[in-house]
Amino acid sequence: MKPAPFKYIKASSVAHALSLKAEYGDDGRFLAGGQSLIPALNFRLARPAVLIDINGLAELEACDCLEGGRLRLGALTRYRTLERNGDLLRACPLFADALPHIAHPQIRNRGTVGGNLSHADPASELPAVTVAMRARMRVKSEAGERELDAADFFVGLLTTDLRPDEMLIDVTLPVQKPRSGGCFLEVARRRGDFALAGCAAVITLDDGSRCTDVRLALCGVGETPVDASGAAAALIGEKGSDKLIDAVATDVQRGIAPAGNVHASPDYQRHLAGVLSARALRKALQRVAHAA
Amino acid sequence: MQPDRHEVQVSVNGSAYRREVESRMLLSDFLRHELLLAGTHVGCEHGVCGACTVLLDGEPIRSCLMLAVQANGHELSTIEGLAQDTGELHPIQQAMHAHHGLQCGYCTPGILMTMMAFLRENPAPSEQEVREALSGNLCRCTGYQNIVDAMLVAAKAMRASVP
Amino acid sequence: MTTRFFGAAVKRNEDKKLLTGQALFIDDVELPGMLHAAFLRSQVAHARVKGIDPSKALKRDGVIAVYTAADLGAYWQSGPLLVPPPPVPGLVFNLRTHVPLARDTVRYAGEPLAIVVAESRYIAEDALDDIAVDLEILPAVVDLEKALDKDAIPVHGDLGTNIAAHVHQTKGNYRSVAAQADLILKRRFRYEHGMSSPIETRGIVAQWNARAQHMTVWDTTQAPVFVRNGLAGALGLGERQVRVIAPFVGGGFGPKIMMLYPEEAMLPWISMRLNRPVKWIEDRFEHFVATTHERGQIHDAEIALTRDGRILGVKDVFLHDNGAYNPYGLTVPINSQCTLLGPYVIPAYDSTFTSVFTNLPIVTPYRGAGRQHGVFVIERLLDLAAHELDIDPAEIRRRNLIPSDAFPYRNEIIYQDFQPLEYDSGNYEPVLDKALEAIGYADFVAEQPRLRAQGRYVGIGVACYVEGTGIGPYEGAKVRVQANGKVSVATGIGTQGQGHFTSFAQIVADQLGVDVTDVEIVTGDTDQFYWGAGTFASRGAVVAGNAVNEASRAVRKKALKLASDAFECAEEDLVLADGKVSIIGIPEKFIRLGELAQRANPMRGAVKPGTEPGLESTQYFGPPSGSTANGVHAAIIEMDPLTFELKILKYVVVHDCGTVINPMILAGQIHGGVAQGIGNAFYEKLSFDEHGQLLNASLADYLLPTALEVPRMQLDHTTTPSPLNPLGIKGAGEAGAIPVGPLFAQAIENALGLKQNGVELLEIPLSPSRLFELIRKGSKA
Ligand SMILES: Cc1cc2nc3c(=O)[nH]c(=O)nc-3n(C[C@H](O)[C@H](O)[C@H](O)COP(=O)(O)OP(=O)(O)OC[C@H]3O[C@@H](n4cnc5c(N)ncnc54)[C@H](O)[C@@H]3O)c2cc1C
Ligand code: FES
Ligand code: FES
């Protein structure tokens, strides 16, 4: 399990990295945390000709609150940096729930938000969180820059909308609104394993405890993170009763087609999606109540 | 194709090393076979077992998931640097010995490096926290219980030794 | 002899090296000019080999050689049969052992086809891609039952059948007891055991020294003496020309013993050819297919009982997955067959098994070695019977335990050590009592309805087992006092973390009156000790430990004799303590052991006829038969009723493995065994597709339990010494792993109230997904 040969280039700036990517296209791969890429190299499942190391590029390390109530996470933000940033976790409590499910401390020390999202593993926690949070991805190439909704960024199994010459620069997402509650839950075989199914829910209530906005996204049950906010919209204008929530969960189950894997049958995954949706919505509601 | 080679300068346990290596060489292989610091073990080369854990600038990482070239200019700590030069064991090593926290000992270096960093950041952990911190290190021999006990004791000893 | 150390929780001698990163493991062996090997392995499970073309690989920079079966000449031969089948009348055994490199047929995905030798492992792996292989793919035999269909493709064409063995053993007359039974229950059970997955994989370094005509092999083996003998024979060398060293080994648990693995045969041969040292370190991906597994059995079992829950008899017919070759004979299925009888009085037993060749990796013993499968069947049958007869599960076990006055207890059928199965000693009921008390059985039964009313699904389980341990044939030990007063001990077994460096030292220290830290143990170096069998079947401590004891006693006798000559006094007037022999009552009159060692090897004067020089002795110990340990595990678990995630709230082990040398080391063995048992019961499953491809060959998908899955365990023990060896010890290496499967099944059923809903858990491993499927199916029915 040793990597096949490649050429290694340490990028000196984002511009340098982008020019290299423009030159090598699909033969070149950015090396961020390496926590998905290097296992793939070791198994020789990936054999890029060129690795463009983007570690240390300060332009990608932003991790802050912007004006207008948005958070910005540079592509090179490591999971651990997020975990240790109390302000950020308060601004987006879903991260506090989700991060401990991602691998283990040693991997979270290296793994990056940008690498995670670009890798687009459908069972990963963060893509679902970004979809639930209506995050926006800023991507750049030598030719220019564009911004995408999270829901448009993930286009297939391990596939994003990134073009061969593009890099993910950062992600921005709104801080959680007042009178809102969020919850991320998942079932994995062991702590740190990829989710068999996971669910991110965010609910916002008005003063009368009626739901004004609800976001629901799942991981592990499709080729991309699944935006189930449509099913959850049944809650809008309502007080989230158990019956309503159960109905939403059933709707969520209907709307997905999980593939199954060695650890979970498709039916079990579908079952989990329902169970977790209901539980996450309930917990999110409780949390609004607590916050209020 | 000519092998793509790079110079790597690192400090390991306070000593400086300089080598020229192929870009694809894993940091774990570099430490073990280039620097002959074979105390860092390799159990899976895909990031799961934790045997290869070392500290990179003080933080635990998987040395099998990093290229040696990426360590250029960084400081590494490995198991070889844990005991004092006099041979006196670090409290965390002493606790492992006292509580029979190792059997074959293959996982031990990775566990010690992981827990060194953990206890520094978390000097008074609960049992559950210790278990969570340990969960990225597989041990097939001990069933973990004695390791957990050793870490709780080591935490105490380390707290006592800090003035 | 005072027993200062024997029985005490002495800290381990071997720890310091391991804790500081100074212990030598296989991949730490670095030799000048060393080459590196990588194996090209078949990606398909069954195929005819039509051609292998390494020419492109040979042109790659840094590649030194590529070998295929065609290059091996007379060296290409089937490996040895390690354990011949036991003498059971009517037994059928079709021997087919593996070869170093597949020549005409590949029989499992992972079987080696070629080996590349290069300047580095990186380059060797590059060159694997350069080798062109032409295979004609054949249908793979994967399903155990279909393998026996008349039109099934044979794994070994010349054999014409996939039956590897067929064995029928009986005790009493099942048919006649069944006719009198009040209740007969029959079920089909599936039990799969995974693979041992030590954190260190296998590895070999071979160094041929042409000048000295000598071969040194470093090998992660549990049985170095056998490897030396096997290699010497195969390479046409004398045994003195081959030295096999098992360095520190990072866990074994069984599969590191399967001697003459293809890689073990190839590396030394290559080193001789190239006259350079060669290293091969198995990577984790290879480990999943190149190291042996244990895997599955299907049992059709039937139990006959009286109304009050007494077992009248058991009938069992089972299939055993043997994999593609059977170098390890029948050890695993024989263990299943024998261990099924458990700690219970089972007057009649009728057991038949068929061992089946499949196109899957080879099956050899892994911790428990088939015992789990048998224990699962009998424990589950008892649970079903308890439910049917409305008897408490713990109570039905108690009613059937072998009474303490019935030992030695004869089970008549032939065990893996070729002897009729006989339990040497035991006192089973107190073990069960202690376990029930420790788990709080009665309180829990009272508490459970209250928990359920709170919406909590908490359940309890209790499972019993016996473990045949400490089998022969023999081990030996050489104990020698050195001039510096330190004692060196050599044995022929290998050690993989069991603490032999310490437990053996404890035995020696007591006999010779020295400190444990003054005893230096060498294991696993054939130049240090010539004879031995190996570490397997929980036998290291029992068999080698007793040999160490015998040798220490002989040295003690010598020391006292020498001192009595020196002091001109009777031996009875002497004490041996603190590293010296002194006269009782006159402590200032003493001779140090080191000095006695010098006197035992004098420069001048005559040594009396009949005395051997040196303060040393070599002794052997072979038990007449295996000793039988026993125990009970109990657990309280909580289930999530919707996701079927499981949490262990309490775990208790009470066991009896005779006299205990070191309770700390023993507890560690139990902890580790339980952890592996938990993996087996709920996490670890080797998933093959219908083509024989392993779908989860990575540690990300083959799920070893972490510190979060393994609970704190509460241990207790009772002591019934074994009469079969002077130290009274029984093995304990496998006990922790054996009963966890049925324990989980019972506790999960109990937590979720499955029996009441007609759902029975008759298989291991379980998982949340599997529970979901079973429960859905069960409640539909
Ligand atoms: C044992 C183990 C367990 C794990 N468990 C989980 C888990 O439970 N959940 C989970 O989510 N993840 C898990 N991971 C994966 C981990 O989270 C990775 O860190 C993450 O998926 C990738 O991030 P990275 O920074 O390491 O990216 P890399 O591995 O460096 O890169 C991943 C891919 O993204 C590309 N890329 C990286 N950065 C950019 C960028 N800025 N722009 C464009 N492309 C880019 C790379 O070229 C590569 O193709 C696990 C990993 C391991 C080893
Ligand atoms: S060797 Fe690096 S995590 Fe296993
Ligand atoms: S002590 Fe053997 S793997 Fe941990």
Side-chain angles (χ1 to χ4, degrees):
Chain A
M1 288 185 55
K2 311 291 182 192
F6 51 76
K7 187 175 160 74
Y8 168 89
I9 306 173
K10 187 157 177 58
S12 55
S13 63
V14 169
H16 181 211
L18 290 177
S19 79
L20 289 167
K21 195 76 169 94
E23 181 182 347
Y24 293 106
D26 280 336
D27 291 337
R29 293 282 276 276
F30 293 124
L31 173 60
Q35 305 300 290
S36 291
L37 184 52
I38 297 190
L41 297 177
N42 291 358
F43 277 112
R44 296 196 178 214
L45 294 171
R47 297 172 181 234
V50 180
L51 280 193
I52 306 161
D53 187 353
I54 57 174
N55 283 279
L57 299 184
E59 303 148 88
L60 300 174
E61 283 179 345
C63 176
D64 47 14
C65 296
L66 301 176
E67 312 234 324
R70 285 187 85 77
L71 299 176
R72 176 175 62 176
L73 305 177
L76 272 184
T77 307
R78 308 215 187 252
Y79 301 125
R80 281 298 260 187
T81 315
L82 266 185
E83 269 182 286
R84 286 175 178 154
N85 188 328
D87 289 344
L88 267 166
L89 296 184
R90 269 186 297 280
C92 180
L94 279 187
F95 283 131
D97 280 356
L99 287 168
H101 290 289
I102 302 179
H104 307 286
Q106 300 95 328
I107 290 156
R108 296 203 292 270
N109 275 328
R110 294 294 298 164
T112 67
V113 170
N116 176 302
L117 299 173
S118 306
H119 188 59
D121 192 312
S124 170
E125 295 77 2
L126 279 199
V129 169
T130 58
V131 169
M133 292 301 295
R134 296 191 179 96
R136 297 202 29 101
M137 278 63 169
R138 190 159 66 97
V139 308
K140 216 171 168 176
S141 70
E142 281 201 307
E145 184 179 311
R146 59 188 182 118
E147 244 186 71
L148 299 86
D149 279 339
D152 300 326
F153 183 75
F154 303 103
V155 299
L157 189 69
L158 302 176
T159 313
T160 65
D161 196 46
L162 283 171
R163 297 173 194 142
D165 61 344
E166 279 181 329
M167 176 195 281
L168 175 61
I169 301 293
D170 59 29
V171 200
T172 60
L173 34 119
V175 302
Q176 191 169 293
K177 288 180 256 181
R179 286 199 57 77
S180 297
C183 176
F184 179 88
L185 291 177
E186 79 170 45
V187 171
R189 285 308 323 267
R190 301 168 302 183
R191 167 75 68 79
D193 286 341
F194 280 98
L196 303 181
C199 180
V202 189
I203 296 188
T204 308
L205 303 182
D206 64 14
D207 290 341
S209 294
R210 283 179 201 281
C211 183
T212 58
D213 186 24
V214 57
R215 299 288 302 162
L216 192 64
L218 293 113
C219 60
V221 295
E223 299 214 321
T224 60
V226 173
D227 186 351
S229 304
L235 292 169
I236 289 179
E238 306 283 342
K239 294 185 175 177
S241 70
D242 275 353
K243 215 173 124 204
L244 252 180
I245 288 178
D246 288 340
V248 168
T250 310
D251 227 24
V252 168
Q253 288 178 325
R254 263 191 225 121
I256 57 173
N261 59 39
V262 290
H263 306 298
S265 67
D267 286 344
Y268 176 61
Q269 286 188 309
R270 186 193 311 278
H271 168 78
L272 284 182
V275 172
L276 293 175
S277 296
R279 285 183 180 174
L281 286 168
R282 279 195 191 106
K283 184 97 194 179
L285 270 173
Q286 272 173 22
R287 285 181 175 168
V288 196
H290 272 294
Chain B
M1 192 172 94
Q2 272 302 312
D4 181 49
R5 298 181 72 86
H6 297 263
E7 188 184 272
V8 178
Q9 291 189 43
V10 290
S11 144
V12 186
N13 305 324
S15 308
Y17 297 85
R18 175 199 299 237
R19 294 283 188 285
E20 201 198 87
V21 299
E22 209 186 335
S23 52
R24 61 170 161 165
M25 178 173 278
L26 301 175
L27 178 59
S28 45
D29 282 335
F30 178 76
L31 288 168
R32 294 179 43 74
H33 301 303
E34 289 290 323
L35 305 187
L36 299 181
L37 294 168
T40 299
H41 293 159
V42 168
C44 72
E45 294 179 308
H46 53 278
V48 185
C49 76
C52 67
T53 304
V54 300
L55 304 187
L56 175 78
D57 302 325
E59 300 274 12
I61 58 125
R62 304 291 206 223
S63 63
C64 72
L65 296 190
M66 192 164 160
L67 305 172
V69 280
Q70 290 186 277
N72 188 29
H74 290 273
E75 276 182 30
L76 294 159
S77 314
T78 67
I79 184 72
E80 285 88 351
L82 217 50
Q84 306 214 328
D85 293 341
T86 58
E88 195 192 327
L89 297 181
H90 187 277
I92 201 171
Q93 292 168 312
Q94 285 172 20
M96 286 284 272
H97 175 60
H99 292 269
H100 189 33
L102 61 154
Q103 290 183 25
C104 78
Y106 198 76
C107 66
T108 309
I111 286 181
L112 289 175
M113 298 321 287
T114 301
M115 296 317 282
M116 276 297 290
F118 170 71
L119 293 180
R120 229 183 269 139
E121 188 168 338
N122 211 329
S126 66
E127 168 162 355
Q128 185 61 22
E129 287 167 335
V130 169
R131 285 182 180 271
E132 279 170 23
L134 256 183
S135 68
N137 292 80
L138 296 174
C139 172
R140 195 59 160 161
C141 300
T142 64
Y144 305 103
Q145 181 159 324
N146 290 344
I147 303 176
V148 171
D149 288 345
M151 290 311 135
L152 292 169
V153 168
K156 223 173 183 176
M158 285 164 71
R159 288 201 300 275
S161 69
V162 180
Chain C
M1 175 184 97
T2 51
T3 53
R4 231 161 24 112
F5 297 110
F6 193 96
V10 176
K11 308 277 176 288
R12 299 200 322 167
N13 279 344
E14 51 269 60
D15 284 357
K16 186 159 186 187
K17 269 188 182 166
L18 293 164
L19 283 164
T20 53
Q22 301 304 320
L24 182 91
F25 287 90
I26 187 77
D27 190 31
D28 308 344
V29 175
E30 303 274 0
L31 300 169
M34 189 165 71
L35 298 169
H36 299 264
F39 283 83
L40 178 72
R41 298 179 183 279
S42 173
Q43 296 187 6
V44 298
H46 199 189
R48 210 157 284 138
V49 183
K50 305 187 73 179
I52 305 178
D53 178 6
S55 51
K56 191 170 158 216
L58 285 164
K59 290 192 198 110
R60 185 180 277 274
D61 272 354
V63 171
I64 306 295
V66 180
Y67 300 104
T68 66
D71 299 308
L72 299 185
Y75 195 67
W76 190 91
Q77 47 188 297
S78 296
L81 170 65
L82 305 177
V83 186
V88 175
L91 173 145
V92 174
F93 182 65
N94 294 320
L95 177 66
R96 290 293 181 279
T97 56
H98 54 286
V99 294
L101 296 171
R103 189 177 63 188
D104 315 299
T105 311
V106 289
R107 296 193 174 84
Y108 63 92
E111 187 165 6
L113 283 161
I115 178 169
V116 174
V117 186
E119 295 290 351
S120 81
R121 171 72 182 223
Y122 288 76
I123 296 171
E125 288 189 22
D126 295 342
L128 293 181
D129 294 342
D130 300 334
I131 301 174
V133 182
D134 185 7
L135 297 178
E136 179 192 330
I137 296 179
L138 301 171
V141 179
V142 176
D143 184 283
L144 265 187
E145 290 174 281
K146 286 191 197 144
L148 297 179
D149 284 352
K150 277 205 194 63
D151 53 353
I153 302 260
V155 172
H156 296 276
D158 60 318
L159 199 57
T161 168
N162 286 317
I163 295 179
H166 186 81
V167 178
H168 181 208
Q169 297 213 66
T170 58
K171 170 190 176 189
N173 184 332
Y174 178 77
R175 200 179 315 169
S176 70
V177 300
Q180 290 159 30
D182 297 317
L183 176 68
I184 291 184
L185 288 167
K186 183 168 181 179
R187 293 291 187 279
R188 166 163 277 216
F189 301 93
R190 286 171 190 271
Y191 193 101
E192 290 195 30
H193 198 189
M195 59 186 301
S196 81
S197 310
I199 305 303
E200 180 200 45
T201 54
R202 290 184 300 122
I204 299 152
V205 180
Q207 182 181 36
W208 171 247
N209 181 335
R211 207 176 286 247
Q213 291 288 298
H214 186 267
M215 175 72 73
T216 308
V217 179
W218 288 262
D219 186 352
T220 52
T221 178
Q222 297 173 221
V225 174
F226 271 128
V227 173
R228 178 205 54 202
N229 295 354
L231 279 178
L235 295 168
L237 299 173
E239 280 155 18
R240 273 286 172 219
Q241 284 174 281
V242 182
R243 176 183 185 189
V244 175
I245 302 168
F248 275 93
V249 175
F253 317 114
K256 281 187 180 167
I257 202 172
M258 200 214 67
M259 47 105 13
L260 295 203
Y261 268 106
E263 303 86 359
E264 257 166 345
M266 285 308 301
L267 271 272
W269 181 85
I270 291 170
S271 180
M272 270 176 105
R273 284 222 130 184
L274 299 177
N275 200 18
R276 280 176 75 174
V278 192
K279 178 190 266 188
W280 169 75
I281 302 296
E282 183 182 53
D283 67 34
R284 183 57 64 178
F285 186 59
E286 290 183 282
H287 180 78
F288 274 98
V289 290
T291 290
T292 54
H293 298 168
E294 193 166 293
R295 294 205 306 272
Q297 294 175 356
I298 304 173
H299 289 250
D300 286 305
E302 178 178 321
I303 188 167
L305 305 104
T306 63
R307 194 164 298 117
D308 58 356
R310 279 178 210 282
I311 305 170
L312 293 171
V314 172
K315 180 171 178 193
D316 184 26
V317 177
F318 72 94
L319 301 179
H320 168 75
D321 177 0
N322 173 104
Y325 301 96
N326 57 358
Y328 224 97
L330 296 177
T331 303
V332 175
I334 288 278
N335 269 341
S336 310
Q337 184 166 57
C338 290
T339 311
L340 186 146
L341 291 166
Y344 307 115
V345 176
I346 300 183
Y349 184 42
D350 186 315
S351 169
T352 308
F353 71 79
T354 305
S355 175
V356 181
F357 284 121
T358 56
N359 287 119
L360 295 176
I362 303 171
V363 165
T364 70
Y366 154 43
R367 199 177 205 163
R371 296 180 181 88
Q372 281 91 331
H373 307 62
V375 170
F376 183 70
V377 172
I378 188 68
E379 292 295 302
R380 291 274 64 201
L381 284 170
L382 282 174
D383 288 335
L384 293 161
H387 179 69
E388 204 69 31
L389 296 167
D390 201 17
I391 302 173
D392 175 84
E395 176 57 26
I396 199 168
R397 288 174 165 78
R398 179 191 308 281
R399 284 185 196 170
N400 286 292
L401 291 177
I402 297 168
S404 60
D405 58 8
F407 292 90
Y409 184 81
R410 296 210 165 84
N411 260 330
E412 298 172 23
I413 58 174
I414 304 292
Y415 190 47
Q416 59 153 313
D417 61 353
F418 293 13
Q419 304 298 320
L421 180 61
E422 179 176 295
Y423 299 170
D424 54 334
S425 66
N427 187 6
Y428 295 163
E429 199 167 356
V431 179
L432 179 61
D433 286 336
K434 275 195 172 193
L436 294 178
E437 192 181 324
I439 198 77
Y441 195 82
D443 290 347
F444 178 82
V445 172
E447 165 100 347
Q448 197 176 26
R450 206 177 53 78
L451 292 169
R452 182 62 60 79
Q454 293 170 7
R456 292 183 60 190
Y457 290 76
V458 185
I460 196 163
V462 181
C464 307
Y465 63 96
V466 296
E467 185 202 352
T469 74
I471 58 169
Y474 77 94
E475 285 299 336
K478 175 190 270 183
V479 173
R480 174 193 292 153
V481 178
Q482 305 175 64
N484 62 6
K486 301 215 180 221
V487 185
S488 79
V489 180
T491 75
I493 63 168
T495 186
Q496 305 87 36
Q498 297 92 336
H500 293 140
F501 296 95
T502 309
S503 44
F504 293 166
Q506 288 175 254
I507 295 170
V508 175
D510 279 342
Q511 288 290 1
L512 296 183
V514 295
D515 199 81
V516 173
T517 53
D518 287 331
V519 184
E520 183 202 54
I521 311 279
V522 179
T523 68
D525 180 345
T526 58
D527 268 15
Q528 299 285 328
F529 201 81
Y530 205 78
W531 300 105
T535 309
F536 53 87
S538 298
R539 65 189 294 281
V542 181
V543 188
N546 273 289
V548 168
N549 187 48
E550 296 301 317
S552 313
R553 280 177 36 167
V555 171
R556 175 189 175 84
K557 244 173 112 181
K558 267 190 169 179
L560 290 174
K561 172 85 178 54
L562 280 167
S564 79
D565 289 350
F567 287 135
E568 297 182 340
C569 70
E571 285 176 37
E572 296 75 63
D573 297 333
L574 297 173
V575 275
L576 178 49
D578 300 328
K580 57 196 182 219
V581 183
S582 56
I583 299 179
I584 294 175
I586 324 176
E588 60 281 7
K589 265 303 251 179
F590 67 82
I591 313 183
R592 293 191 183 283
L593 272 180
E595 199 187 324
L596 284 175
Q598 283 172 12
R599 288 185 187 216
N601 189 22
M603 285 289 282
R604 292 287 184 279
V607 171
K608 281 188 203 142
T611 26
E612 286 171 27
L615 195 45
E616 71 168 49
S617 172
T618 301
Q619 299 292 326
Y620 297 87
F621 178 78
S625 64
S627 51
T628 303
N630 70 288
V632 174
H633 290 205
I636 297 178
I637 61 145
E638 179 159 9
M639 296 298 296
D640 182 317
L642 295 178
T643 65
F644 306 107
E645 291 166 288
L646 174 150
K647 197 164 142 198
I648 302 171
L649 303 182
K650 191 168 182 188
Y651 201 106
V652 168
V653 179
V654 182
H655 66 109
D656 183 344
C657 58
T659 317
V660 174
I661 307 177
N662 185 324
M664 177 192 84
I665 289 174
L666 174 62
Q669 288 289 313
I670 301 282
H671 291 162
V674 171
Q676 291 186 9
I678 290 171
N680 180 199
F682 208 67
Y683 296 94
E684 298 174 34
K685 182 175 169 63
L686 293 162
S687 300
F688 290 94
D689 69 8
E690 72 271 26
H691 306 296
Q693 290 291 343
L694 182 58
L695 300 175
N696 57 339
S698 95
L699 285 183
D701 278 323
Y702 185 79
L703 309 174
L704 304 185
T706 76
L708 292 171
E709 283 75 47
V710 182
R712 182 164 284 281
M713 298 157 234
Q714 190 180 321
L715 311 190
D716 199 352
H717 63 98
T718 63
T719 305
T720 314
S722 171
L724 300 179
N725 64 74
L727 295 175
I729 53 187
K730 301 176 176 181
E734 302 176 90
I738 293 175
V740 191
L743 182 73
F744 266 53
Q746 190 190 121
I748 294 169
E749 278 180 359
N750 182 251
L752 294 170
L754 295 185
K755 286 234 188 69
Q756 289 76 354
N757 297 320
V759 178
E760 296 172 343
L761 302 179
L762 305 179
E763 64 185 51
I764 288 291
L766 294 164
S767 69
S769 180
R770 190 66 192 143
L771 286 172
F772 168 78
E773 298 295 342
L774 288 169
I775 290 166
R776 193 173 58 159
K777 205 165 71 194
S779 37
K780 261 196 214 138

